[in-house]
Amino acid sequence: MDNSIDMKKAQNKLQVGPSPHIRTRRTTKSIMIEMLIALVPPMIAAVYFFGWGVFIQLVVASGVAVLSEYVFQKMTHRKVTISDCSALVTGTLLGLSFPVTVPLWVVTVTSIFAIVVVKQWNAGLGNGGIGRNYLNPAVTARVCAKIFFTPFFTDWILPTGFLGGPYGGVDAVSSSTPLEFIGHGAQSVSNQVPALRELFLGANLGGNIGETSKLAILVGMLYLIFRRIISPKIPLLFIGSTVLVMCFWGSFDLEFMLTHALTGTLFFGATYMATDYSSGALTPGGKTVFAIGGGVLTALLRIVFDYPGGLGIAIIIMNICAPFIDQKLMPRIYGHKKRPEVKFDRQSPNQL
Amino acid sequence: MEFSFMYKEGGAHPDEQKGFTDSKPIVEASVPKIMVYPIAMHIGAPADPIVEVGDQVKVGQMVAKEGGFVSAHVYSSVSGEVVAIEKRPQAGGGEVDSVIVKNDYAYTRAEPIVKPGHSSEMTNKKIIDTIRKAGIVGMGGATFPAAVKLAPPEEAKIDTIILNGAECEPYSTSDHRVMFEYTDEVIKGIDIVSQLYPDLKNIYIGIEDNKKDVKKALEKATADNKKVTVQTLKAMYPQGSEKNLIKSLTGREVQPGELPADVHVILLNVSSARAVYHACELGEPLLERVISVSGTPIRNPQNLKVRIGTPIESVIDDCEGFSEIPGKVLSGGPMMGRAVGDLSVPISKGMTAVSVLTRQEAQIDEPEDCIMCAECLHVCPVSLQPILISEAFERGDIEKAEKLGAMDCIECGNCSFICPSKIPLLDNIRGAKAAIQAKQEG
């Protein structure tokens, strides 16, 4: 054949190596980019309800996150890994988890804290870095921000429209979050709570900019599930168990139950925070327990404590428990009668 | 409705790549001048050459005799002159003693190994002897001598035969075409094997649900045999692994250190069943097999009926050669196959396919830090935690790797394939296995 490739020439260029010889196209970076894509619907909702000002908040949060990872890794002479986009995801999640009234310096400090203290330093629990942090950076930093900086953003403003918002020059209307009316041990829905439809769409709802529209979050959640980035069982079991506990607490009051499902950070946290690889459980059984535990704790914290923001604390508690859960729920190996009995640890081989 | 998009645990879905060849009829491969017969195309002791340089051999004449109980005879698949007995490169890597025969293209046939046409009257011992004589091995790639496998101790009480037609490796379509085109031969092969087991209750033919045409053909051919069930399985890798298939079809699990016979099951590859028919009914030793030659760099991918001993370069020529410089040429598929560095390597008894990858497909990126996505746990067919074994090995903690079940790994390659951080998980697990074995041997 005229245009055939010479067999000897082909043979000389052959590669050899152990099986498997192919790899999935998915990479760490592509997973992070898919996370960002899944965050686009809540971002659109945030802009729609709170105005263009949210962009500044998001840019500051994600920019500071990426920059602080870069600076930290340079200063500690580690490999710079900002190109994997994981810091960008953490920063974006943080940006979405503040109300639009938050001062930008609070966002900045929280972002640095998330990356440097929680992710890279692993809150002092061991070696940090991607895949190694025991605590969820965005959640932990956000909970700390709430504890230390609450006076700076107590008032949750209601959305004022597409081009309005605090940076649009229109007077902001301050309000409480709906959760404050059904938390604090309440067992039924107060008439100050917006209608379920509004809670679902996020219309006329105060709150952190990313979490008000459950519809937008649902779109993001479905994207992540269909793209197989997250296991569907985590968000479903998480939300499901909160709802179930509320169902019993509210004596099977459907409206009370649904209101709980649709208020606060539950949807946002169950979709984007509880599904974090690094701080979640590793084993299939562990993931189930993690999700149910997180959901139940969220409900209990809302009921028992005078504290509506229970989800963040619930996730942190489950983050701390995750390695112990995994230890107990290592999968039974094919053909074996018992689970492997060996200490579960997630210490990196090259950092010891 | 099945939610196949959902997380499926215990398997992966590499691109099937079967479209290159799955609808192409099997064609006869050309026979080159020089044929190469390695004395070790099976697991166990290598065979001993029984011919000398200068000898004339016939088609179906033994050139190497089994070297022990777990071993297999090697036959010449052409007639001609033995021109050398020397070390030649082999698909498994390294070199192995091989009998080199110069083809005279006369195809003079040797005596059949048994009188043809009497398989139904054979005693069990005769059947096993004939299978042994024919040099049949597990032709799905395992290459374990069939005569040993098919004759477990009587107390094993075999109640189930599984014909493995899952063919879960990407690119491979040889079993698919064999089941479709040689349906009767395969079924007759199973009939012969089923004579061996008085306690036999079920014969399962396990095929993946991407082979609809085969299911029909098999069901038609087995309509009057009540014991046979043609069972479609979800297309998933490694659906065709021994342990996986036994679990899928019978619900039984083979314990560590046990064989399928210990759970009363005999597994047989499609091509091996056909070879049993050829041996017992036609008196032919194992001389040929069907392989698929496929991949983007192959100009005209095909299913070929090849005489064992034909060098790979000859079958690639039959497929009109390469259309681009390939990255890897594989004996088998891309998940468990072996990379071949020399195209003079012969087609051996257990070679199901020659799969060729482009340089881009064969590209493997540098590993990054693990992100704990847990994908390797999801895809492991034996429920290991590959990343933990890999990390224990990298730390030098062999004891821990052992406790985590490193020895239970079936080396299917799913973990390395699925890892987004491109960590060489299977390489590390293999390393751990080698270290554990070394430790056990003292």
Side-chain angles (χ1 to χ4, degrees), chain B residues 20-22 24-29 171 173-174 177 290-295 298-306 315-321 352-354:
Chain B
F20 286 109
T21 49
D22 63 359
K24 290 193 182 175
I26 298 167
V27 294
E28 196 99 26
Y171 297 100
T173 58
S174 49
R177 292 312 301 184
V290 176
I291 62 163
S292 52
V293 181
S294 185
I298 294 286
R299 204 182 293 270
N300 178 26
Q302 293 191 81
N303 298 295
L304 296 172
K305 188 156 86 177
V306 192
V315 298
I316 288 172
D317 268 340
D318 282 346
C319 298
E320 299 172 25
T352 54
V354 173

Side-chain angles (χ1 to χ4, degrees), chain B residues 186-309:
Chain B
V186 172
I187 300 301
K188 281 174 187 159
I190 307 174
D191 286 345
I192 295 168
V193 172
S194 60
Q195 290 176 37
L196 296 169
Y197 312 113
D199 301 305
L200 186 70
K201 290 193 187 67
N202 288 304
I203 300 172
Y204 292 109
I205 306 180
I207 54 173
E208 284 196 339
D209 55 13
N210 52 9
K211 305 176 181 61
K212 301 264 189 279
D213 51 348
V214 172
K215 184 174 159 65
K216 272 194 202 133
L218 288 170
E219 276 173 348
K220 205 173 143 214
T222 57
D224 52 358
N225 190 338
K226 292 271 178 293
K227 284 180 185 167
V228 176
T229 313
V230 181
Q231 186 69 51
T232 43
L233 307 155
K234 207 175 149 45
M236 173 182 84
Y237 184 84
Q239 189 64 271
S241 88
E242 198 170 82
K243 288 180 172 181
N244 209 64
L245 204 57
I246 293 174
K247 177 101 193 255
S248 300
L249 293 172
T250 68
R252 301 171 196 170
E253 286 190 11
V254 185
Q255 315 250 314
E258 281 189 350
L259 295 169
D262 292 311
V263 292
H264 321 296
V265 175
I266 284 287
L267 258 110
L268 200 61
N269 170 263
V270 172
S271 295
S272 306
R274 178 169 174 255
V276 167
Y277 166 77
H278 277 229
C280 297
E281 184 65 23
L282 308 179
E284 270 176 23
L286 181 55
L287 300 179
E288 52 153 59
R289 66 158 302 136
V290 176
I291 62 163
S292 52
V293 181
S294 185
T296 309
I298 294 286
R299 204 182 293 270
N300 178 26
Q302 293 191 81
N303 298 295
L304 296 172
K305 188 156 86 177
V306 192
R307 284 172 199 258
I308 285 161

Side-chain angles (χ1 to χ4, degrees), chain A:
Chain A
M1 239 164 310
D2 45 346
N3 57 346
S4 240
I5 291 182
D6 182 58
M7 210 58 95
K8 274 280 165 281
K9 194 176 153 206
Q11 176 167 312
N12 291 338
K13 296 208 168 174
L14 284 184
Q15 302 161 31
V16 287
S19 66
H21 305 282
I22 48 171
R23 296 287 187 272
T24 172
R25 278 181 287 274
R26 184 160 280 174
T27 61
T28 305
K29 186 174 178 169
S30 75
I31 289 173
M32 294 304 159
I33 288 173
E34 301 225 42
M35 280 299 293
L36 290 169
I37 293 171
L39 284 168
V40 168
M43 280 194 244
I44 293 173
V47 173
Y48 181 78
F49 290 123
F50 297 101
W52 292 101
V54 303
F55 262 117
I56 302 168
Q57 188 173 322
L58 289 174
V59 167
V60 168
S62 51
V64 169
V66 174
L67 193 68
S68 51
E69 179 153 276
Y70 178 81
V71 170
F72 179 84
Q73 288 176 326
K74 273 283 172 203
M75 278 169 60
T76 53
H77 307 290
R78 293 183 196 182
K79 199 174 136 206
V80 174
T81 56
I82 55 169
S83 63
D84 66 21
C85 296
S86 60
L88 194 58
V89 170
T90 303
T92 309
L93 282 171
L94 262 180
L96 286 169
S97 65
F98 281 106
V100 75
T101 42
V102 68
L104 290 178
W105 68 265
V106 170
V107 176
T108 306
V109 172
T110 313
S111 219
I112 296 172
F113 183 83
I115 295 296
V116 175
V117 176
V118 188
K119 183 181 175 188
Q120 294 295 340
W121 188 50
N122 200 7
L125 295 166
N127 288 298
I130 191 165
R132 299 291 158 194
N133 46 289
Y134 292 103
L135 302 179
N136 183 316
V139 170
T140 313
R142 182 62 181 79
V143 167
C144 291
K146 186 178 171 75
I147 293 166
F148 294 114
F149 304 132
T150 298
F152 299 101
F153 53 96
T154 349
D155 292 337
W156 309 88
I157 67 136
L158 289 174
T160 47
F162 192 40
L163 292 171
Y167 305 101
V170 183
D171 283 340
V173 185
S174 91
S175 132
S176 301
T177 72
L179 198 51
E180 284 170 30
F181 298 110
I182 52 169
H184 303 259
Q187 274 178 306
S188 62
V189 184
S190 122
N191 56 9
Q192 284 171 283
V193 177
L196 287 173
R197 198 180 67 91
E198 290 187 346
L199 286 173
F200 182 68
L201 297 175
N204 293 319
L205 216 57
N208 299 321
I209 59 170
E211 70 188 34
T212 52
S213 172
K214 313 311 171 291
L215 175 67
I217 296 165
L218 204 59
V219 173
M221 184 201 293
L222 289 176
Y223 176 81
L224 290 175
I225 290 170
F226 274 90
R227 295 291 304 151
R228 298 182 190 222
I229 304 288
I230 61 170
S231 157
K233 74 181 179 190
I234 296 177
L236 298 183
L237 288 176
F238 201 111
I239 296 170
S241 23
T242 300
V243 167
L244 199 66
V245 174
M246 285 309 175
C247 182
F248 283 104
W249 176 249
S251 314
F252 304 94
D253 175 348
L254 188 70
E255 195 193 353
F256 178 77
M257 188 182 94
L258 286 176
T259 306
H260 259 289
L262 296 175
T263 46
T265 320
L266 183 59
F267 258 66
F268 190 77
T271 305
Y272 299 108
M273 312 288 212
T275 51
D276 176 41
Y277 295 146
S278 182
S279 58
L282 184 72
T283 60
K287 283 183 196 295
T288 306
V289 172
F290 182 95
I292 294 174
V296 169
L297 273 177
T298 303
L300 293 181
L301 285 165
R302 283 183 180 184
I303 294 168
V304 180
F305 296 99
D306 198 18
Y307 192 65
L311 179 128
I313 307 273
I315 290 186
I316 292 175
I317 293 171
M318 293 316 292
N319 283 166
I320 294 167
C321 295
F324 303 101
I325 297 171
D326 278 332
Q327 166 87 55
K328 290 286 169 220
L329 294 177
M330 289 197 183
R332 182 186 65 85
I333 301 166
Y334 177 105
H336 286 250
K337 297 225 158 51
K338 283 190 288 188
R339 301 171 188 277
E341 276 173 34
V342 53
K343 186 172 175 290
F344 180 92
D345 68 61
R346 304 197 291 189
Q347 285 301 300
S348 161
N350 40 27
Q351 288 180 352
L352 282 177

